[in-house]
């Protein structure tokens, strides 16, 4: 069953010169999660931050740190991000040879485990993994850079995953977040919500206009 909407602003769109202050500001503006995009210049064509930065930011917010690892190899770094303060660690099935083992590793460290699918990854790729995850992330852009346009084909994937998740959790207290990341704005937020998403990653739309605008940015997205 679809859950209340939650917003996870991506710090990829924040001012990196003032990252601690930016995290505090988006927290106070009403973010539900703090979304942290970790990129290595190998699995995706960009380089962002590592566990040391996550550790430094942890003191600036008590909100859920939703850490999306776009790195390969992945297993050698999971423990470092868990220790740095990640609450949710999301990985891609293509990032390592044994993704089920990676999900088990995340859970063994006391963290919630997420699985992400790229625009070119079929929904069926996560079917064997749904029993072992707390979050499914649908990428509605190709990972690597902020500010990209929404890929409409993601809507079909969101709807298909909504049905799969609902079947798995039916009659249980279990919850699996269905998250969407990429090109989220006031128009696309409405579409992905209708398709079944309950967590929206908003980079540009969340951090637009500087701290004075963050609360209004999030209010507009949440009302949709």
């Amino acid at each position: 069953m679809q859950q209340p909407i939650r917003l996870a602003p991506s710090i990829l769109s924040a001012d990196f010169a003032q990252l601690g202050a930016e995290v505090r500001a988006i927290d106070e503006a009403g973010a539900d999660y703090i979304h942290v995009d970790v990129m290595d210049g190998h699995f995706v064509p960009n380089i962002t931050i590592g566990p040391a930065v996550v550790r430094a930011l942890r003191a600036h917010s008590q909100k859920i740190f939703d850490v999306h690892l776009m790195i390969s190899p992945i297993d050698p770094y999971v423990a470092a991000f868990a220790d740095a303060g990640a609450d949710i660690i999301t990985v891609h099935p293509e990032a390592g040879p044994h993704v089920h083992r990676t999900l088990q590793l995340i859970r063994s460290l006391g963290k919630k485990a997420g699985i992400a699918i790229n625009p070119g990854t079929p929904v069926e790729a996560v079917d064997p993994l749904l029993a072992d995850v707390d979050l499914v992330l649908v990428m509605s852009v190709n990972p690597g850079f902020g500010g990209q346009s929404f890929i409409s084909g993601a809507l079909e994937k969101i709807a298909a995953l909504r049905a799969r998740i609902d079947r798995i959790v039916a009659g249980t207290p279990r919850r699996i977040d269905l998250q969407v990341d990429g090109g989220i704005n006031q128009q696309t937020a409405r579409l992905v919500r209708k398709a079944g998403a309950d967590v929206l990653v908003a980079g540009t739309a969340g951090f637009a206009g500087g701290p004075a605008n963050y609360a209004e940015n999030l209010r507009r997205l949440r009302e949709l």
Side-chain angles (χ1 to χ4, degrees):
M1 189 170 117
Q2 192 173 22
Q3 304 165 59
I5 193 169
R6 278 150 294 146
L7 300 178
S10 170
I11 64 170
L12 185 63
S13 296
D15 181 351
F16 269 48
Q18 308 181 70
L19 207 45
E22 289 278 72
V23 167
R24 290 197 305 274
I26 204 73
D27 177 330
E28 293 167 2
D32 299 294
Y33 297 176
I34 305 297
H35 190 82
V36 182
D37 287 309
V38 177
M39 307 179 189
D40 63 357
H42 170 68
F43 185 68
V44 293
N46 196 6
I47 298 173
T48 55
I49 64 175
V53 176
V54 175
R55 184 184 302 278
L57 294 177
R58 184 69 271 190
H60 294 274
S61 174
Q62 296 302 308
K63 297 289 175 65
I64 291 170
F65 268 33
D66 171 27
V67 178
H68 178 195
L69 298 184
M70 291 166 274
I71 62 176
S72 180
I74 193 159
D75 288 351
Y77 301 98
V78 168
F81 282 99
D83 186 61
D87 298 298
I88 305 169
I89 298 177
T90 297
V91 301
H92 288 253
E94 302 91 347
H98 303 293
V99 66
H100 184 266
R101 181 179 292 159
T102 304
L103 296 172
Q104 288 180 311
L105 172 60
I106 294 168
R107 287 188 147 192
S108 76
L109 295 168
K111 307 301 179 179
K112 290 187 175 182
I115 191 73
I117 58 173
N118 287 332
T121 304
V123 168
E124 291 76 14
V126 303
D127 280 347
L129 307 171
L130 288 177
D132 299 285
V133 300
D134 304 283
L135 178 147
V136 180
L137 167 57
V138 176
M139 293 299 300
S140 43
V141 297
N142 283 294
F145 298 95
Q148 298 182 66
S149 297
F150 183 84
I151 297 173
S152 61
L155 296 172
E156 184 177 344
K157 288 184 175 181
I158 296 165
L161 284 162
R162 177 80 272 152
R164 285 165 161 80
I165 290 169
D166 288 349
R167 282 197 299 270
I168 287 175
V169 303
T172 76
R174 190 169 171 221
R175 187 177 90 179
I176 300 175
D177 288 346
L178 180 49
Q179 185 179 73
V180 182
D181 181 0
I184 297 298
N185 54 39
Q186 291 182 54
Q187 289 72 41
T188 57
R190 182 179 291 108
L191 296 175
V192 301
R193 180 64 173 165
K194 184 177 180 181
D198 40 39
V199 182
L200 308 185
V201 177
T204 303
F207 283 94
N213 294 295
Y214 293 169
E216 178 64 13
N217 293 345
L218 297 186
R219 184 192 66 78
R220 288 179 178 177
L221 288 171
R222 197 181 302 279
E223 284 185 349
L224 296 173

